[in-house]
């Protein structure tokens, strides 16, 4: 797949058909993620991959987030909240959940650079998933239940989950996407 096609064709998918994802493919996604740029090549990331029983444990914890979705009623509207609630109830049957973690240093400048680096790694992962015929969604809403998730993923002190990437074989067509175009100022 051409890069431009991968970039424009990737979408967040929140419903999966439940088919397992081959371990080799998961390995390719992680490898792609590690090719991302990072602050002084520090590569400030770690990928915790949950499948099978551990994925079930993650989903059980994530189901608790439905209680917080009302906070987004103004932004998402009732239909959006309902869609999100359906997704969080069992992570859309996604067979794989990857917690992308980064060290937390307490230095705002380093933490910001780490977040930028991790964002680049996640995008590599999402684009590669799309290229391999997989679907995915990167979610940050787990911040509501950060501590519970930390314990399911057996995270060590000093590391924080930045995002959960749920992935599998997609089973929904996403709504049409609108992109803002008034986002650039050219200096002459
Ligand atoms: C930092 C970040 C946080 C996100 N958090 C969530 C989330 O908590 N729940 C969710 O369903 N989608 C989440 N998304 C996915 C966005 O909703 C999605 O990328 C956006 O609506 C654009 O749609 P697209 O990915 O199909 O282009 C997140 C995306 C990013 C980059």
């Amino acid at each position: 797949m051409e890069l431009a096609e991968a970039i424009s064709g990737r979408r967040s998918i929140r419903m999966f058909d439940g088919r397992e994802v081959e371990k080799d493919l998961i390995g390719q996604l992680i490898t792609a993620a590690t090719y991302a740029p990072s602050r002084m090549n520090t590569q400030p990331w770690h990928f915790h991959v949950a499948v099978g029983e551990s994925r079930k444990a993650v989903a059980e914890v994530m189901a608790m987030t439905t209680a917080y979705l009302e906070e987004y009623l103004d932004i998402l509207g009732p239909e959006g909240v309902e869609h999100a609630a359906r997704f969080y109830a069992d992570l859309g049957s996604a067979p794989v959940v990857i917690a992308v973690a980064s060290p937390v240093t307490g230095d705002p400048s380093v933490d910001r650079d780490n977040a930028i680096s991790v964002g680049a790694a996640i995008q590599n992962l999402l684009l590669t998933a799309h290229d391999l015929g997989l679907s995915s969604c990167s979610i940050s809403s787990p911040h509501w239940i950060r501590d519970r998730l930390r314990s399911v993923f057996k995270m060590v002190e000093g590391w924080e989950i930045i995002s959960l990437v749920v992935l599998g074989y997609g089973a929904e067509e996403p709504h049409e996407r609108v992109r803002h175009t008034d986002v650039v100022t050219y200096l002459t």
Side-chain angles (χ1 to χ4, degrees):
M1 186 184 289
E2 290 294 323
L3 179 61
E5 191 188 341
I7 290 172
S8 61
R10 180 216 57 81
R11 296 299 311 279
S12 292
I13 295 295
R14 300 176 178 84
M15 192 58 68
F16 303 86
D17 69 8
R19 264 183 297 157
E20 298 297 322
V21 176
E22 301 79 349
K23 212 170 169 191
D24 168 57
L25 295 188
I26 299 174
Q28 288 185 51
L29 301 179
I30 305 295
T31 301
T34 63
Y35 279 104
S38 63
R39 184 184 66 90
M40 297 199 292
N41 197 23
T42 46
Q43 303 173 43
W45 44 60
H46 194 86
F47 304 89
H48 301 260
V49 181
V51 292
E53 284 303 308
S54 58
R55 172 257 175 243
K56 218 187 269 176
V58 175
E60 276 167 22
V61 171
M62 274 301 291
M64 295 175 190
T65 59
T66 52
Y68 300 89
L69 285 170
E70 292 294 314
E71 284 179 27
Y72 286 107
L73 193 58
D74 286 350
I75 303 168
L76 299 176
E79 213 177 291
V81 166
E82 207 184 301
H83 189 238
R86 267 201 308 276
F87 175 41
Y88 293 147
D90 188 37
L91 291 175
S93 302
V96 184
V97 185
I98 304 176
V100 187
S102 188
V104 177
T105 68
D107 177 331
S109 144
V110 174
D111 287 345
R112 184 206 54 198
D113 284 357
N114 284 352
I116 293 169
S117 307
V118 168
I122 292 171
Q123 179 70 341
N124 275 9
L125 196 158
L126 302 183
L127 290 177
T128 304
H130 181 57
D131 187 37
L132 293 172
L134 294 162
S135 296
S136 62
C137 186
S138 170
I139 61 178
S140 61
S141 47
H143 71 265
W144 287 313
I145 46 155
R146 199 177 295 275
D147 290 341
R148 287 179 195 270
L149 275 180
R150 284 181 57 84
S151 112
V152 176
F153 280 104
K154 302 185 172 58
M155 305 265 312
V156 293
E157 280 303 311
W159 285 71
E160 205 60 81
I161 297 173
I162 305 292
S163 176
L164 284 192
V165 176
V166 298
L167 64 98
Y169 292 94
E172 71 168 356
E173 286 298 323
H175 295 300
E176 205 181 326
R177 170 173 56 187
V178 177
R179 289 307 196 216
H180 301 161
T181 51
D182 55 340
V183 294
V184 59
T185 304
Y186 292 100
L187 304 182
T188 55

